[in-house]
Structure formats: structure tokens, C-alpha cells
Amino acid sequence: MRERKDFCTECRRETSYTLKKIKINQTIREKEYTFEITAAFCNECGGEMGIPGLMDYNVKEMDEQYRKAEEIITVEDIERLMKLYNIGKAPLSLALGFGEVTITRYLAGQVPSKEYSDIMLHALASASYMKELLDQNREKIGETAYKKAYTAATQLENLYVAVPVELLAVIAYIFSALHEVTPLTLQKLLYYIQGNYAAIYDKPLFDAPCEAWVHGPVYRNVYNLFRDFKYNPIDDDRFVPLKESALPLTPEAKEVVDRVLDTFGMYSGKVLESITHKETPWLDARKGFLPDETSHAEISLDAMKAYFKNVDEKYNIRTEDGLREYIATMI
């Protein structure tokens, strides 16, 4: 690794330096904030050094932390808003009820007011709300821009119709908790979440049929939602509203989901698939079918519940250690 070097004003010569995080206090609009920023320190005298570009980076760090603290929309999310609804800067400004150049200023770095930020975040989370705004300001933005944005909003609104809201809440939570999720991994995690929850609480977490496909348990409507990603991580701006608008999980559901993600979530979709192929719910539902034969036979909730109750008796699925022990025996 190449050593970082620059001129140290204390040593009066070029020296190596180390980047460290430090905390600083700043007052913004009469309110004090503590920001964690990056600073450079000389490896010889220990003094702080001024490195080219670091001040601009600090401004970006503080901007991100301020927006997070005040729940202010980011520049990236404003760009997503434009992309989601297929609308330009000026038409978006007018559609939201702002001045024509407002979005342009925000994209250049100006921090929105909380009121305007909330409007944009609401539009990002709800296609229905965006359609209301478009209708209210139709005359201002022009017919062409209106039709393009309204069509995009309608398509986004219809994207999740076939998936129950409780299931969408679990999916949104998984997206927030894990860095990368492929459709295969998602399907298996949903299966283990449903099975564990049903075994512990004697009822399903979400109302959706699970089918015994060639590559393991599958929720068909979820498959249809993410099928275009195939074996690749799910990464599409269309799914940003899912994270923003999903229902919060109950404490019981969150506990089960967290436990499954912290254990089963450590493995790839292919590993999880191989485990499901050794479990009786999938095996029983696949009876009579060839290994590569398409099947939409349902894995009943009763079968899942009974199986994971037996796993619970032997390993204690209410603990991470119990689930890890179970996984180890199945790999």
C-alpha cells in the first residue's frame, strides 16, 4: 500500500500522515451539533495537517450527518425522485409546489427546509401522493411532463399490488439490514423467517403461499416482483419507495427476522437452497416430481410449522446459537 505523504507545517518538510476520525461541534441555525469528520495527523510530530481536498470532504461528511440528524432528504434521493417519476428538474419543482429553480438549487447542494424535505420524502415513499401533487399542479408543469410522470407513478403504484403489506414490510427490513440481497437469497430468508415465526407464535407472519420449486421454497408473487435480477443483487431505484413506505415490524417479528438474518443471512442463496433440499417441508411437497421438473406444489404452513417446532425442540430456534448449530448440521 502506497504511503500517504504531504507537507507538515510543524516539521517543515514532507512527512507521512494517518487519517483519523475526530469530533467537532458546530452551531447551525442556533442549534449545536457534534459531527464526526476525517482529519490528517503527522506520523512524526503528531500535529494536524491540512491535506488538499480534505476540507471539501469534511463539508460533505457534515452535510450527510446534518441531513440524517434532521431527517432531511439527500441529493441522491432527490435524483432518485426525478428518475422514479421520469421528470426533469423544473417540472418536478412545479409538481411539488415549489419555485421553478428550487430542485436545481437543492441538487447543487443547498439544504432544503424541513417542510420541503418532508414533501419530497413523502413523494419518494408514495406514488399515490406523487399522483395527487401532479394532479394539483398539472397546469403548471405542462401536459407532456405530466403524462410521463403520471404514467411512471402509476406503474410504480402497481408494482407491489400483488404482495401482501406484511410481506412487503419483511422484505423492506431485509433490504435495510443486508448489504446485498439476490432474489434466491431473499426467497430462502423469507421461508426461514416464516417457518421460525410460525413455530414460535403458532401463526404466520405474513399471508402468502409458499411453493416447492426446483431451487427450493419460493413465494411466487415475490419472485415475479424481482425476477429480472435473476442471480444478481436486487438494486433498482424502483424499490427505494418500498424501504420508505413499508409498515414497521412488530417487536416479535423484528426479533425473529433479526435472528434469521444474523444466522441464515450469513450464507449465500445457493447454500440456503442446499439446506432447504434436506428439509422435509420441501422434500414432501416435491414427492412425485423429477429433480428438474417444474412444480407449483404448495409447502403448507402446517408442514413448515411442524418441522420448525421439531427443530426448536432439538436446537432451540429462539436463540442464535441454536440456529447456528442447526445450520452447521445441515451444511
Side-chain angles (χ1 to χ4, degrees), residues 94-95 133-144 146:
L94 297 172
L133 293 176
L134 287 166
D135 283 335
Q136 290 172 16
N137 299 292
R138 183 171 184 170
E139 298 298 324
K140 298 177 184 178
I141 66 176
E143 194 62 18
T144 301
Y146 167 83

Side-chain angles (χ1 to χ4, degrees), residues 14 21 24 30 32 64 67 69 77 108 248 276 319:
E14 189 177 76
K21 292 291 186 181
I24 63 168
E30 300 182 352
E32 188 169 306
E64 289 175 351
R67 289 176 189 255
D77 276 342
T276 65
T319 67

Side-chain angles (χ1 to χ4, degrees), residues 297-315:
E298 186 173 334
I299 300 175
S300 72
L301 182 68
D302 286 342
M304 294 166 60
K305 184 164 60 175
Y307 179 79
F308 285 104
K309 278 184 178 293
N310 287 332
V311 174
D312 184 34
E313 289 176 5
K314 186 174 181 180
Y315 297 96

Side-chain angles (χ1 to χ4, degrees), residues 7 9 47 58 60 63 77 88 93 97 102 112 134 146 180 196 231 243 254 256 263 272-273 293 308:
F7 186 79
T9 55
N58 292 158
K60 182 181 178 182
D63 178 73
D77 276 342
S93 291
T102 303
L134 287 166
Y146 167 83
E180 285 189 348
N196 276 253
Y231 289 99
K243 300 178 186 179
K254 184 178 181 299
V256 171
T263 52
L272 298 180
E273 175 188 326
E293 185 178 356
F308 285 104

Side-chain angles (χ1 to χ4, degrees), residues 42-112:
C42 175
N43 288 336
E44 296 192 20
C45 72
E48 189 171 349
M49 296 170 60
I51 306 300
L54 190 56
M55 186 176 293
D56 289 339
Y57 185 70
N58 292 158
V59 170
K60 182 181 178 182
E61 289 177 311
M62 289 189 289
D63 178 73
E64 289 175 351
Q65 292 171 52
Y66 171 75
R67 289 176 189 255
K68 185 175 182 180
E70 295 297 323
E71 297 182 329
I72 301 294
I73 193 169
T74 65
V75 171
E76 291 76 16
D77 276 342
I78 296 174
E79 292 171 342
R80 287 191 182 98
L81 198 57
M82 295 169 57
K83 187 176 179 181
L84 278 172
Y85 296 116
N86 194 21
I87 191 169
K89 291 176 282 190
L92 177 59
S93 291
L94 297 172
L96 297 172
F98 305 162
E100 190 171 3
V101 298
T102 303
I103 293 296
T104 299
R105 293 202 303 267
Y106 291 161
L107 291 174
Q110 180 178 322
V111 179

Side-chain angles (χ1 to χ4, degrees), residues 256-305:
V256 171
V257 174
D258 282 339
R259 197 157 51 234
V260 170
L261 296 186
D262 289 341
T263 52
F264 288 95
M266 303 291 291
Y267 297 90
S268 70
K270 293 302 291 183
V271 171
L272 298 180
E273 175 188 326
S274 70
I275 297 175
T276 65
H277 284 193
K278 300 172 185 176
E279 297 170 334
T280 54
W282 182 84
L283 289 168
D284 287 348
R286 290 288 301 179
K287 282 181 179 176
F289 293 95
L290 297 172
D292 294 328
E293 185 178 356
T294 299
S295 163
H296 298 302
E298 186 173 334
I299 300 175
S300 72
L301 182 68
D302 286 342
M304 294 166 60
K305 184 164 60 175

